[in-house]
Amino acid sequence: MKFKGPGLLCWGILFFVSCATSPKKPAVDENGEFAFLSPGAAAYISMDVPRARPLLEFISLGGFSGKEAGEFLDKTNFAVVAAYPPGSERSFMVAARGKYPNKRIDFSFAFDPFWKKRPSARGGSYWRSDRYDLSIFLTSRRALVSDGDPLIPPPGAAVPPEFAALRRDALLAGWTDEGGAPVNQFLALLEIPLQIPADRIFFSIYDVPEGEAGKEYEAFLRIETPSVNHAKGLASLFSLTRVFMTGLPPAGEGDPLSLAAALFANVPSQEEAALIIRTGSLSPQGIALLFNMLSLYSN
């Protein structure tokens, strides 16, 4: 499952074109920012945009790309993103918080033949461009973007209770309900004889002190398995695989082997039915590889 990018030309339109009244702002409920995202996504991600900017130059999440959406990201403090499986009503949703020139953009869209006001199923309205397959709801403090209706009824996406602790102090954090399939495909590609029986994978990305090679990061993975015995067996197999990984030659920047070496850099731990992995240091390119492994990367 990969994010379907909507064509980031749309973000350029959003901030380089310059007053219809904005629709009523949706209410925030107990799910916080995820209340703006529809349930049923294969993956959800939250990001501290200013701190994550160096990473966003290398990865694209639901239409966010530091290289192509710099104007938008400069105005954004925080965002959550959802990616939906094929056949869903929409393929992605973005809910961003910041300071946006909504009046100027509303005025511009009102005179642009490629943008039309559409009524939302939940009430209110939003801007829609069939040409760009993009829908936008905008206020001075919030942007909701999707390739479908960006406004949804409450309560929005349910947030797993484990996520609150994992996202604390993280640049990026999220979870995928794709199970172990993406990771197992990556391990099979490298001919690493290890299969991960996962129900859900949580991930978070943190800063580490800047090294000689530049900015570096580390990733934390919490792999939820079907049972305590599954987690215990997986921890043993993971530790055994580490022995063989130590004999590999150094990998170049961007080489999948460099990600494999980071994944097996530390001894894993176990928390009941969960396997906990803390990677070694990763460059921005290494983080991009990690998202590729989790099928969350779309450049």
Side-chain angles (χ1 to χ4, degrees):
M1 180 279 303
K2 293 188 178 182
F3 282 115
K4 174 188 174 185
L8 292 174
L9 172 62
C10 304
W11 291 120
I13 293 172
L14 189 62
F15 284 97
F16 286 106
V17 297
S18 39
C19 193
T21 302
S22 295
K24 184 179 179 181
K25 183 178 178 180
V28 180
D29 65 13
E30 65 274 9
N31 287 348
E33 300 295 324
F34 288 97
F36 294 97
L37 303 181
S38 179
Y44 292 95
I45 302 170
S46 69
M47 62 180 79
D48 181 333
V49 174
R51 293 173 60 214
R53 280 298 295 273
L55 286 177
L56 297 178
E57 296 292 322
F58 293 88
I59 62 178
S60 176
L61 301 172
F64 281 84
S65 170
K67 290 183 177 179
E68 298 175 288
E71 292 275 346
F72 176 76
L73 295 174
D74 287 342
K75 294 174 172 62
T76 298
N77 299 320
F78 182 80
V80 290
V81 182
Y84 298 88
S88 300
E89 184 177 352
R90 52 181 66 81
S91 63
F92 77 94
M93 294 190 79
V94 178
R97 190 173 68 230
K99 294 182 179 180
Y100 307 110
N102 62 310
K103 297 298 184 182
R104 176 164 56 86
I105 293 167
D106 277 343
F107 182 81
S108 174
F109 282 178
F111 291 96
D112 189 324
F114 297 116
W115 291 90
K116 303 295 182 183
K117 234 7 170 357
R118 293 277 183 88
S120 172
R122 68 147 292 176
S125 59
Y126 59 91
W127 290 105
R128 170 69 188 175
S129 172
D130 291 332
R131 179 180 186 180
Y132 302 116
D133 192 18
L134 197 68
S135 304
I136 298 174
F137 171 90
L138 197 68
T139 72
S140 62
R141 297 291 181 178
R142 184 170 299 282
L144 305 179
V145 186
S146 180
D147 56 351
D149 189 338
L151 301 174
I152 63 163
V159 180
E162 301 90 345
F163 185 62
L166 292 172
R167 74 189 294 185
R168 192 175 299 122
D169 299 325
L171 308 179
L172 294 168
W175 70 93
T176 173
D177 288 325
E178 291 287 275
V183 181
N184 291 334
Q185 291 172 5
F186 175 78
L187 296 175
L189 176 67
L190 297 179
E191 300 183 350
I192 297 175
L194 180 64
Q195 291 289 298
I196 294 180
D199 294 327
R200 171 180 285 159
I201 299 177
F202 293 93
F203 54 90
S204 46
I205 311 298
Y206 302 92
D207 283 308
V208 298
E210 195 163 330
E212 294 181 1
K215 189 68 176 176
E216 293 186 331
Y217 306 87
E218 66 177 3
F220 179 95
L221 302 177
R222 179 184 175 92
I223 301 173
E224 302 280 349
T225 73
S227 69
V228 172
N229 286 336
H230 279 91
K232 183 177 181 180
L234 183 58
S236 298
L237 288 172
F238 197 95
S239 297
L240 180 62
T241 305
R242 287 186 71 244
V243 176
F244 296 98
M245 291 297 296
T246 56
L248 291 176
E253 187 68 66
D255 190 317
L257 280 176
S258 65
L259 174 58
L263 283 174
F264 291 92
N266 299 310
V267 177
S269 59
Q270 180 188 350
E271 292 181 7
E272 297 182 350
L275 181 72
I276 310 300
I277 298 173
R278 187 174 292 278
T279 72
S281 294
L282 289 164
S283 66
Q285 294 91 337
I287 295 297
L289 284 173
L290 175 65
F291 274 73
N292 190 32
M293 180 191 73
L294 294 171
S295 296
L296 303 174
Y297 173 58
S298 67
N299 263 350

